[in-house]
Amino acid sequence: MKLTTDEQIYMVNGQSFFCMGELPEKDIPRVQMLDGGTGLNLDQLFEDMLTKSNHPEKGTATFRKVLNHFFDPDSLYTAEERKLFDWLYSQLQALNPEMTAPGCFPPGMMLGATWNPETVYEVGQALGHEARAYGVHVLLGTPNINLHRDLRAGRLFEGYSEDPYLISQLAPALVRGVQSQGVAANVKHFAANNQETNRQGINEVIPERALYELYLPGFEACVKAGCATVMAAYNQINGVSCTENKWLLTDLLRDKWGFNGLVMSDWYAVYHPVEAVNAGCDLNMPGPVSSDPLRKAFADGSLDSKKLAESAERAVSLACKYVLPPTGHIDHEMTDRAAYKAAAEGIVMLRNVRLRDSIDNSQTCCPLPVSSKISLTGTLNGELLICGNGSARVWTNRNTNMLTELRKRFEDAQNVLFEEADTLIYVLCVPGQEGNDRKTLRIDSKEQEHIQKLSDYAKQNKMRSVLIVNAAGPVTNLAIGYWDSVFWVSLPGMQGASAIADILCGNVNPSGRLPLTIPYNEDDMPTYLNFPGDGMTVNYGEGIFVGYRYYATRLHYNADADLVSMYFGYGLSYTTFEVRNLRVENGDITNGLDLLADVENTGTIAGKTVVQVYVHDPFSTLTKPVCVLCSFQKVYVEPNQTITVRLHINRHAFESWDPDLHTWTIEDGIYILNATVETPDKIDWRNHADITLRYDEESPYSWGGKTSIKEIYENQELKNALIRFMNTYGLPWENAITTYEYTAKDSVSLMLKNAGCSDEELTEFIKTLKQMRYLKQ
């Protein structure tokens, strides 16, 4: 579409806090954006309505009161409050005549705990469905996939996992689900926005390898899934702001990954408008944004006119494709079902002991008998936090209530300690929010003391005791051993109370698995001394060793390095499972592998488990974690049933990013695959291999003329071959000794040339080295 320069500039600048520009005379409609990935944020929607109407109540205490009581208007007493409520109600009713409140859905961390792309897709569908009902065209943060680098991050709950492969398998499902409803998904924050401290402008010094192996794969996967928009982050990466980073937004995102959608800034993340457009940031949010900087730059030639035209065209294309009329209808049964399924599959059972007084010592604390008489208490008197604060906050009247849900399933439940009670449930609430990182993973000492006293009370009175961890991130000082059963419910959304109640009574067999690793102490984290940085700089000094990659590697090399309370992939069930006979069905490393594995439910209750396959490289030139997740499948198995599971592993699972060569590489040699239904630390990589694979293609690390003297000298068989060769041709061995002592990284070719080796003789030795490839294992 032909636009004038002024129209182009208008289209690349936001025009209200959550709206893009519109050009009615050219049939270009206004694009309405809104957070978010856990449900529609009415605060943002109402603020945008007030802004566009020049309403005087925007941002006032009256507005805050009305927002907090929008679904409880009887609590609004003053004339000003009632008047503003009536105005907002009428505005909302024009969009959604049924006035069904938006739903609150589990955040990324809990979706990560489902280990189930199908469940994540259904949440995406529900989010898109509700956004479409309210006339929202771009749903921001669908998904937020920033890696769980440090567990103290304030928005940890919004991200999916510490593992890039798990993110890459789950997050694209949310994209597809949202966009199936005609709503544009938005992937954020591109890239490496892993903390809230000084987030606006913090310079993150990240090794190239860590970027490619950890922080970029989830974004690439969402691009391949067809996401319509990407949000550029606040931070700098290695000295360049994300919104002004041509390598990030153009060279990588567009030219290498093939993204053809719209890149928008995070709100107020454009620090230099001209540089942002030139780098490939299409839209400066929020509005209203002045056109003057771009007009001036266009006039003096510092603004790339081609880039401006391309950005404007992308904005127009987004508007023409995704501005669809609001449906005005929410299928609350469908969206409730999606929220429930995600919570039910994402809740992780951390502990469930056998009761001391059971007749045969086989009865576990949970599931609780329906005759249970429950005392419910906790941080918020037993109620659940359903969401985090900031852009992830959802205002709704559709939340299930913990006490009500327990009363539906058990004989009695009360919010007090009462004499007849035989079960104590404590709900520990730990909030998280945008804008602030957690200072510690520990809970308040007074609450910790209170929790311990209650667990002691339960033991003294022979009560079952259940701790529900309702937290925005891990907690390290829980002493969960004091409790008979412990459940991690994250921030479970509007159906959280219903889901945990069904798990407690046995209607649902828990199947969630941790998407992150919980250390015993926060100072055991690999990032502990590199978070949140020094002033406006943070150094990612841990490199690729984040989460289980670090802990499992430490444990592999030092059995005393037991730093972990619960590993990535951990989660209990009311039944037990075994996986065996992992085997190759077809394929190879180069073209990808199809695997089969047998999974048996060895217990008496039907349930779901997660088969996890990890890859280990026992001989590697590049430093690598002891193992990396490369495939998984969540499966349902009936009691005493064995099923065969098919898994796929692609070539990328065997690749590493070489920061010297600036490319992905696969080293020739041996690779080991093992499957587990437990956690990666349970695998004995020294003594067990479900599958051993060999890759014999040439690689940058294949032995030959470029092999260093250090590598040859420290491998006895290679060293012996070199000795024999040099003795045969009368070459002085002292040259090898001196090279190893002073310039060990020199190539064997250089050393032999310096020792007087001829070209023909050198060719012979290189041939010998290549023939010894079988030793790589």
Side-chain angles (χ1 to χ4, degrees), residues 403-611:
L403 186 63
T404 300
E405 296 301 322
L406 291 175
R407 285 174 171 170
K408 289 178 182 178
R409 294 161 178 83
F410 298 101
E411 183 172 315
D412 191 10
Q414 299 182 35
N415 268 134
V416 294
L417 291 172
F418 59 102
E419 187 175 347
E420 297 83 5
D422 55 29
T423 303
L424 173 68
I425 297 177
Y426 190 93
V427 180
L428 171 68
C429 302
V430 181
Q433 69 173 78
E434 179 178 0
N436 289 279
D437 294 316
R438 292 170 65 190
K439 290 181 173 60
T440 177
L441 298 183
R442 301 176 65 83
I443 59 172
D444 179 82
S445 58
K446 289 184 179 180
E447 182 157 26
Q448 171 65 19
E449 183 180 343
H450 181 56
I451 290 174
Q452 189 163 332
K453 285 181 178 179
L454 284 173
S455 64
D456 289 341
Y457 174 88
K459 285 185 177 67
Q460 292 163 8
N461 290 275
K462 298 183 178 180
M463 301 170 71
R464 296 180 184 88
S465 61
V466 179
L467 176 64
I468 295 176
V469 185
N470 173 209
V475 180
T476 57
N477 61 330
L478 282 180
I480 66 173
Y482 285 95
W483 297 81
D484 296 330
S485 291
V486 180
F487 295 88
W488 182 80
V489 304
S490 182
L491 301 174
M494 61 185 176
Q495 287 290 321
S498 178
I500 186 60
D502 271 340
I503 288 174
L504 290 171
C505 74
N507 289 343
V508 171
N509 191 347
S511 63
R513 299 297 186 96
L514 289 176
L516 45 72
T517 302
I518 305 175
Y520 286 117
N521 301 295
E522 60 190 53
D523 56 4
D524 291 328
M525 291 189 294
T527 55
Y528 183 70
L529 295 178
N530 288 314
F531 181 93
D534 186 10
M536 292 301 294
T537 299
V538 58
N539 179 29
Y540 283 42
E542 70 287 346
I544 61 170
F545 289 93
V546 171
Y548 76 89
R549 283 166 159 77
Y550 169 75
Y551 298 111
T553 302
R554 285 284 308 270
L555 191 64
H556 178 70
Y557 292 109
N558 179 4
D560 294 327
D562 180 15
L563 308 176
V564 173
S565 172
M566 290 167 190
Y567 265 90
F568 170 84
Y570 179 81
L572 301 176
S573 168
Y574 292 148
T575 189
T576 53
F577 299 91
E578 290 182 4
V579 59
R580 52 184 173 268
N581 195 21
L582 183 69
R583 56 203 184 272
V584 177
E585 182 182 31
N586 56 62
D588 53 33
I589 288 177
T590 301
N591 301 297
L593 294 156
D594 290 318
L595 308 180
L596 298 175
D598 298 327
V599 182
E600 181 183 4
N601 183 339
T602 56
T604 59
I605 301 173
K608 293 180 180 180
T609 189
V610 179
V611 181

Side-chain angles (χ1 to χ4, degrees), residues 119-141:
T119 298
V120 178
Y121 178 83
E122 291 177 21
V123 170
Q125 279 186 310
L127 287 166
H129 173 80
E130 294 201 355
R132 182 77 188 278
Y134 276 91
V136 175
H137 311 124
V138 179
L139 195 57
L140 305 174

Side-chain angles (χ1 to χ4, degrees), residues 214-231:
L214 298 187
Y215 299 104
L216 295 176
F219 291 100
E220 182 178 8
C222 289
V223 168
K224 302 302 184 187
C227 65
T229 70
V230 169
M231 182 185 291

Side-chain angles (χ1 to χ4, degrees), residues 225-476:
C227 65
T229 70
V230 169
M231 182 185 291
Y234 288 120
N235 52 281
Q236 300 178 52
I237 295 177
N238 297 329
V240 182
S241 297
C242 289
T243 54
E244 302 170 22
N245 195 322
K246 179 180 177 294
W247 167 79
L248 185 71
L249 302 183
T250 298
D251 300 346
L252 182 70
L253 180 63
R254 296 198 184 280
D255 297 344
K256 192 167 185 178
W257 294 350
F259 179 65
N260 58 10
L262 179 132
V263 175
M264 68 180 68
S265 73
D266 203 342
W267 270 226
Y268 301 112
V270 169
Y271 310 119
H272 304 97
V274 178
E275 288 84 344
V277 173
N278 288 342
C281 184
D282 301 314
L283 179 64
N284 183 351
M285 290 298 291
V289 175
S290 171
S291 297
D292 292 344
L294 295 187
R295 284 178 178 163
K296 181 180 178 182
F298 186 87
D300 66 23
S302 58
L303 175 61
D304 187 329
S305 59
K306 182 180 179 182
K307 287 282 190 180
L308 174 64
E310 289 173 344
S311 291
E313 186 58 38
R314 292 184 192 113
V316 170
S317 177
L318 181 75
C320 292
K321 182 174 181 179
Y322 286 102
V323 176
L324 302 174
T327 61
H329 167 69
I330 289 178
D331 182 344
H332 64 85
E333 291 184 1
M334 181 271 279
T335 56
D336 282 354
R337 186 166 57 249
Y340 174 84
K341 183 178 180 183
E345 289 215 16
I347 291 172
V348 183
M349 184 163 68
L350 302 179
R351 177 177 169 85
N352 193 32
V353 301
R354 301 188 186 282
L355 296 177
R356 299 168 293 279
D357 300 326
S358 64
I359 296 174
D360 59 1
N361 199 35
S362 64
Q363 183 182 353
T364 54
C365 175
C366 288
L368 302 171
V370 295
S371 60
S372 297
K373 300 177 179 63
I374 299 171
S375 286
L376 174 67
T377 183
T379 309
L380 301 177
N381 199 30
E383 198 47 68
L384 291 171
L385 286 171
I386 63 164
C387 62
N389 289 319
S391 56
R393 175 79 180 272
V394 178
W395 282 262
T396 184
N397 63 356
R398 293 168 59 187
N399 297 333
T400 51
N401 175 273
M402 192 70 183
L403 186 63
T404 300
E405 296 301 322
L406 291 175
R407 285 174 171 170
K408 289 178 182 178
R409 294 161 178 83
F410 298 101
E411 183 172 315
D412 191 10
Q414 299 182 35
N415 268 134
V416 294
L417 291 172
F418 59 102
E419 187 175 347
E420 297 83 5
D422 55 29
T423 303
L424 173 68
I425 297 177
Y426 190 93
V427 180
L428 171 68
C429 302
V430 181
Q433 69 173 78
E434 179 178 0
N436 289 279
D437 294 316
R438 292 170 65 190
K439 290 181 173 60
T440 177
L441 298 183
R442 301 176 65 83
I443 59 172
D444 179 82
S445 58
K446 289 184 179 180
E447 182 157 26
Q448 171 65 19
E449 183 180 343
H450 181 56
I451 290 174
Q452 189 163 332
K453 285 181 178 179
L454 284 173
S455 64
D456 289 341
Y457 174 88
K459 285 185 177 67
Q460 292 163 8
N461 290 275
K462 298 183 178 180
M463 301 170 71
R464 296 180 184 88
S465 61
V466 179
L467 176 64
I468 295 176
V469 185
N470 173 209
V475 180
T476 57

Side-chain angles (χ1 to χ4, degrees), residues 12-30:
V12 302
N13 286 327
Q15 298 306 315
S16 78
F17 211 77
F18 285 96
C19 288
M20 292 168 57
E22 59 182 328
L23 296 171
E25 65 278 9
K26 293 193 174 179
D27 296 322
I28 300 172
R30 173 184 58 81

